[in-house]
Amino acid sequence: MTNPTAVELGCAGAGCTNSPTVQWRRRSGQNADSTDAVHACNQHAIGLELAAHVHAAGCTAPDPAKLPGCGCAPEPIPNRQPQQPATPELPPTWAGQTAPAA
Ligand SMILES: [Zn+2]
Ligand SMILES: [Zn+2]
């Protein structure tokens, strides 16, 4: 069977045939709005902190000379705001009501 996507599941280290254990994401060279997965084995993994970032399209990781660094300036991690439940709209006569000041 020839499945072209199966090739991408190997370790990204040059000439490495180990089974990948980790992955991170790299900006797609074709489409700047999407990212490509980079897989690596234990020997070719970048640092965990780096793996949390999206890397530049031209990132050379995993480069054995730079591991566990990668040689690019990864994109900042987006600040995920926790979803706050929307405050329900109150009738105007209820809004801002506090205990009556006797
Ligand atoms: Zn490898
Ligand atoms: Zn990188």
Side-chain angles (χ1 to χ4, degrees):
M1 277 202 285
T2 52
N3 183 352
T5 57
V7 176
E8 295 172 24
L9 293 177
C11 174
C16 180
T17 54
N18 292 340
S19 296
T21 52
V22 297
Q23 73 163 63
W24 60 92
R25 304 208 67 89
R26 177 187 289 173
R27 190 58 59 190
S28 170
Q30 270 87 49
N31 179 359
D33 288 334
S34 69
T35 54
D36 294 329
V38 181
H39 300 264
C41 70
N42 290 356
Q43 282 157 45
H44 292 118
I46 59 174
L48 180 62
E49 301 233 325
L50 276 172
H53 295 258
V54 172
H55 289 249
C59 178
T60 55
D63 181 344
K66 298 192 178 103
L67 290 174
C70 74
C72 89
E75 297 177 12
I77 296 174
N79 217 347
R80 286 208 192 108
Q81 298 284 351
Q83 284 281 42
Q84 294 282 356
T87 310
E89 281 281 314
L90 291 173
T93 50
W94 287 50
Q97 292 292 313
T98 53

